[in-house]
Amino acid sequence: MSVYKPELTTAPKHGHKSLLYSEVVSDLNTLDSVDIAVLGIPYGSPYSIDEVTNDQTNAPTAVRQATDRAVRSIERYDFDIGGPLMDNQPIRMVDCGDIAGDARQLNGHYDAAETVVRKILSLGGMPLIIGGDHGVPIPVLRALDGVGPITLIQIDSHLDWRQEVNGVTDGYSSPIRRASEMAHIGEIFQIGLRANGSARQEEVDAALAYGAHLITAHELHDEGVEAILSRIPDGGNYYLTMDADGIDPTIMPAVAGPALGGVTYSEARKLIHGLVKKGRVVGMDIVEITPKKDLNGITAITACRFFVNLIGMAVRAGYFKK
């Protein structure tokens, strides 16, 4: 395990310097504690040389830039959460910038991400992660090994149980397979599955053998969020990983693989609120946004709004009371 050093991250260079007007802190060693910490992880574990850097690596910046469309200012009343974002409480939220990339050492991205998340956790912070592709939750989940057992909640149109692709075992088709191998990960709920993606029968069989709860988007629509929430054990530690293509493309069109009939904003909002009320959400990521495909910034704005719902409800649930 590497030691945390400030040069593991780089601060945003233009536009909004942080997500939701949070304080930019490039060196976490200067902090004694923190409540919420935002971290961009632009780079995954590529399957080909063309994927080392792609448009998804621009997503952390794009989501930050949507800040003032998602929240005009944090003291204003927000009807999705029942008041101002921080509920007039002294919440310390920081933005650590993005994990610095090194094309000569691709595994270094994940090592750095794990180290920074461990540092955030040591300061008492809840990590909010902006990807990057769906491989980036792998180092985040590794860093949460002291928080388990964790119930993993995934919103995604795809199963993500591939053992390997082109010899790569920790890429964007494999995060749930890798999570299932971590001792601190317990039950897994995969919500929003639909259409045809990377999963073959062998991946479905592996997921079912583990005991993963596979919940299609159609089942979610038919039964409702409350019914799905009732299946998730109360009083747990929850980590939420959100693939943008799990959300309906009418509100998150900027994805590589749009699939019709996805999770709606209202459903995702209810799910986030419900998880906060059931137990403790220990972290969250949003991944797989391709900014060049966005329309009027709606994908990035939606991503911001999901973070708003988690932050606002966590504050009201007393997560950060000293």
Side-chain angles (χ1 to χ4, degrees):
M1 187 189 308
S2 59
V3 176
Y4 171 78
K5 300 176 182 177
E7 59 265 28
L8 294 177
T9 60
T10 57
K13 296 181 175 61
H14 56 80
H16 284 290
K17 305 297 186 186
S18 67
L19 181 74
L20 300 173
Y21 312 103
S22 53
E23 175 187 0
V24 177
V25 176
S26 58
D27 183 358
L28 292 173
N29 288 325
T30 63
L31 302 180
D32 294 323
S33 65
V34 67
D35 297 311
I36 303 164
V38 178
L39 177 66
I41 308 181
Y43 308 105
S45 186
Y47 295 139
S48 69
I49 192 65
D50 296 324
E51 292 181 337
V52 173
T53 181
N54 56 45
D55 194 36
Q56 291 178 353
T57 64
N58 298 315
T61 296
V63 174
R64 289 185 179 100
Q65 298 315 301
T67 284
D68 63 353
R69 296 312 310 166
V71 174
R72 296 301 289 166
S73 59
I74 63 171
E75 79 279 359
R76 295 188 187 180
Y77 197 97
D78 193 308
F79 286 91
D80 286 6
I81 55 177
L85 179 61
M86 299 302 182
D87 198 33
N88 300 313
Q89 297 183 37
I91 306 300
R92 184 149 199 199
M93 177 174 169
V94 303
D95 193 320
C96 310
D98 297 340
I99 294 297
D102 185 346
R104 297 162 298 182
Q105 188 183 2
L106 298 182
N107 290 337
H109 313 325
Y110 278 7
D111 292 341
E114 180 179 345
T115 298
V116 176
V117 174
R118 288 186 183 278
K119 180 64 174 179
I120 290 168
L121 295 171
S122 74
L123 293 169
M126 178 174 69
L128 303 182
I129 309 299
I130 314 172
D133 67 39
H134 214 161
V136 302
I138 295 174
V140 178
L141 291 171
R142 288 173 181 159
L144 287 161
D145 58 359
V147 182
I150 290 173
T151 300
L152 179 60
I153 313 294
Q154 175 198 23
I155 294 180
D156 202 325
S157 65
H158 303 120
L159 193 65
D160 292 348
W161 274 79
R162 291 290 290 270
Q163 173 58 29
E164 58 85 26
V165 176
N166 294 343
V168 178
T169 60
D170 54 4
Y172 55 80
S173 294
S174 304
I176 310 304
R177 185 69 165 256
R178 298 288 80 82
S180 74
E181 298 165 349
M182 300 179 192
H184 59 290
I185 301 297
E187 290 195 71
I188 297 175
F189 290 81
Q190 300 183 248
I191 302 169
L193 300 167
R194 61 195 188 279
N196 185 299
S198 62
R200 301 161 297 182
Q201 188 62 50
E202 61 191 83
E203 281 82 47
V204 176
D205 292 343
L208 293 174
Y210 178 86
H213 304 266
L214 309 186
I215 302 166
T216 67
H218 314 296
E219 186 177 356
L220 172 67
H221 302 327
D222 291 344
E223 294 194 13
V225 177
E226 292 81 3
I228 303 305
L229 280 167
S230 70
R231 305 183 197 177
I232 300 173
D234 291 338
N237 294 315
Y238 311 112
Y239 184 87
L240 177 59
T241 179
M242 301 184 70
D243 189 320
D245 67 35
I247 306 301
D248 194 77
T250 55
I251 57 168
M252 293 197 100
V255 296
L260 302 178
V263 179
T264 68
Y265 175 78
S266 179
E267 289 169 336
R269 173 183 172 273
K270 285 183 180 179
L271 179 66
I272 292 169
H273 288 215
L275 290 173
V276 171
K277 292 173 183 177
K278 288 177 78 71
R280 189 173 189 91
V281 178
V282 298
M284 172 181 169
D285 66 65
I286 296 179
V287 300
E288 300 276 352
I289 293 173
T290 55
K292 288 181 181 178
K293 296 182 178 182
D294 213 354
L295 301 172
N296 201 26
I298 189 62
T299 305
I301 293 168
T302 303
C304 278
R305 292 303 302 176
F306 290 148
F307 285 130
V308 164
N309 277 278
L310 175 58
I311 294 166
M313 296 312 293
V315 168
R316 286 157 176 78
Y319 277 25
F320 312 114
K321 290 284 179 67
K322 302 299 189 289

